[in-house]
């Protein structure tokens, strides 16, 4: 059952536990509040008491689970859950979030993903709606759980030789994708479904030091080995080739004489955290404006 819920909701095991706790505590609070209200109303007829009680708990329950979901970090999940319930009941307009839904793809610790989540947390027009990861134990999944953002674990076979999870992204309402330390090459099925709507950040000044195998410290070691006086970051659109799409933005930093791959990486990370969220915001809003 536990694994079934994990697959159904597309969340980590920890989040299934948190969601179930939210359901349980929210349900208990609903029952307590419902009985308190019924006591205050003083209804004596059994049949009428039952009808009114059902109506009251039906109205209270969504509010109760939303309140409980906040300390459990599952607020976004329950907003989405209640929206789906509303649509099934013909109440599609009951809870509406018209912000642009963005998916962040990540493979590792998720520092850039965390910056994106923080940057768009209260944004009036954009929301991080889904975290997509190809590594079940990656740190970015914990970051998503704490932020209450749904996650999707993807498998290589379906991603590269299947539908690339495009139907799942469509169902989630995703209209833009941000790659934040995602190490798999993006297949044509995905770039074709999201033309000019996928961006990536590379830890070097493209077109230098790009291509297959050029990521993380491998890039910084190559820069140091070449003796380049500067390095930097490149934010670019994604196509079906590694590090090939049109450049959106570049920022530079000096390479020091005593630099190591680690010290250079620290300055590159600072540039990434400083520029990636705001540049992503500009591209997303510009894309919506022209669509």
């Amino acid at each position: 059952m536990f694994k079934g819920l994990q697959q159904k909701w597309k969340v980590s095991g920890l989040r299934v536990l948190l969601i179930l706790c939210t359901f349980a505590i929210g349900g208990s609070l609903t029952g307590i509040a419902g009985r308190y209200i019924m006591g205050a109303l003083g209804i004596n007829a059994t049949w009428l008491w039952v009808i009114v009680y059902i109506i009251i708990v039906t109205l209270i329950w969504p509010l109760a689970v939303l309140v409980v979901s906040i300390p459990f970090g599952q607020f976004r999940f329950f907003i989405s859950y209640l929206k789906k319930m509303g649509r099934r009941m013909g109440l599609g307009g009951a809870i509406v979030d018209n912000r642009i839904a963005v998916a962040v793809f990540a493979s590792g610790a998720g520092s850039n993903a965390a910056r994106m989540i923080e940057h768009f947390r209260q944004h009036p027009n954009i929301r991080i709606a889904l975290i997509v990861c190809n590594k079940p134990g990656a740190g970015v999944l914990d970051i998503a759980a704490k932020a209450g953002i749904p996650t999707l674990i993807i498998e290589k076979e379906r991603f590269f030789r299947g539908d690339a999870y495009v139907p799942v992204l469509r169902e989630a309402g995703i209209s833009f994708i941000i790659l934040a330390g995602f190490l798999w090459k993006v297949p044509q099925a995905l770039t074709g479904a999201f033309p000019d709507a996928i961006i990536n950040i590379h830890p070097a000044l493209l077109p230098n030091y790009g291509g297959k195998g050029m990521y993380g410290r491998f890039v910084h070691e190559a820069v140091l080995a070449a003796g380049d006086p500067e390095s930097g970051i490149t934010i670019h659109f994604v196509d079906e080739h590694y590090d090939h799409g049109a450049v959106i933005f570049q920022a530079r930093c000096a390479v020091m004489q005593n630099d190591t791959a680690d010290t250079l990486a620290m300055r590159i990370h600072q540039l990434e955290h400083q520029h990636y969220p705001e540049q992503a915001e500009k591209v997303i809003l510009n894309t919506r404006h022209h669509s």
Side-chain angles (χ1 to χ4, degrees):
M1 175 185 172
F2 196 83
K3 287 189 176 180
L5 291 175
Q6 189 174 347
Q7 293 175 353
K8 178 181 179 181
W9 292 334
K10 300 179 178 67
V11 298
S12 64
L14 173 62
R15 289 199 60 206
V16 170
L17 181 61
L18 293 173
I19 290 167
L20 291 177
C21 288
T22 303
F23 272 120
I25 297 173
S28 298
L29 289 178
T30 300
I32 293 170
R35 286 191 293 273
Y36 179 82
I37 293 171
M38 293 305 297
L41 292 176
I43 298 174
N44 295 319
T46 303
W47 66 270
L48 181 59
W49 192 97
V50 172
I51 292 174
V52 175
Y53 180 76
I54 291 173
I55 293 172
I56 288 174
V57 297
T58 301
L59 295 174
I60 292 175
W61 181 80
L63 178 61
V65 295
L66 285 178
V67 170
V68 175
S69 72
I70 295 172
F72 279 94
Q74 304 306 312
F75 183 77
R76 291 177 183 269
F77 172 87
F78 278 93
I79 283 288
S80 176
Y81 182 85
L82 292 173
K83 284 172 65 176
K84 290 179 181 178
M85 286 185 60
R87 286 194 294 268
R88 290 171 184 171
M89 297 170 63
L91 302 173
I95 302 176
V96 178
D97 190 339
N98 291 321
R99 291 179 296 169
I100 303 168
V102 176
V104 175
F105 283 49
S107 296
S111 64
N112 273 318
R115 290 287 297 168
M116 289 292 175
I117 291 170
E118 181 61 31
H119 183 80
F120 292 113
R121 188 181 301 279
Q122 302 295 333
H123 199 283
N125 304 114
I126 302 168
R127 64 187 176 96
I128 304 300
L130 185 66
I131 299 295
V132 179
C133 184
N134 60 323
K135 293 184 178 180
V140 70
L141 298 174
D142 293 329
I143 293 172
K146 291 177 182 177
I149 299 175
T151 57
L152 171 66
I153 306 295
I154 60 175
E155 298 174 349
K156 185 171 291 187
E157 182 67 25
R158 181 174 177 182
F159 189 66
F160 288 111
R161 287 173 282 279
D163 59 18
Y165 292 87
V166 170
V168 179
L169 297 172
R170 294 296 192 206
E171 184 180 355
I174 302 301
S175 56
F176 203 91
I177 295 172
I178 297 172
L179 306 186
F182 184 70
L183 299 182
W184 283 358
K185 181 181 179 183
V186 178
Q188 193 167 3
L190 192 57
T191 58
F194 292 89
D196 298 323
I198 307 176
I199 61 172
N200 180 47
I201 189 165
H202 186 73
L205 299 171
L206 292 176
N208 297 329
Y209 309 108
K212 185 176 182 180
M214 295 302 291
Y215 62 88
R217 69 178 297 109
F218 297 112
V219 174
H220 307 314
E221 288 172 351
V223 170
L224 293 173
D228 288 359
E230 62 178 7
S231 187
I233 60 169
T234 302
I235 299 168
H236 64 96
F237 286 106
V238 174
D239 58 22
E240 61 270 22
H241 305 290
Y242 277 116
D243 306 321
H244 180 263
V247 171
I248 298 166
F249 174 85
Q250 288 186 319
R252 300 168 182 267
C253 68
V255 176
M256 305 300 182
Q257 189 172 4
N258 60 345
D259 259 334
T260 65
D262 291 332
T263 58
L264 179 56
M266 288 177 61
R267 290 202 302 285
I268 295 297
H269 281 312
Q270 290 175 353
L271 290 178
E272 291 174 347
H273 296 167
Q274 177 184 352
H275 295 290
Y276 201 17
E278 67 178 32
Q279 292 299 321
E281 178 182 3
K282 290 178 182 179
V283 175
I284 294 167
L285 293 177
N286 187 58
T287 301
R288 169 57 65 90
H289 177 73
H290 291 292
S291 62

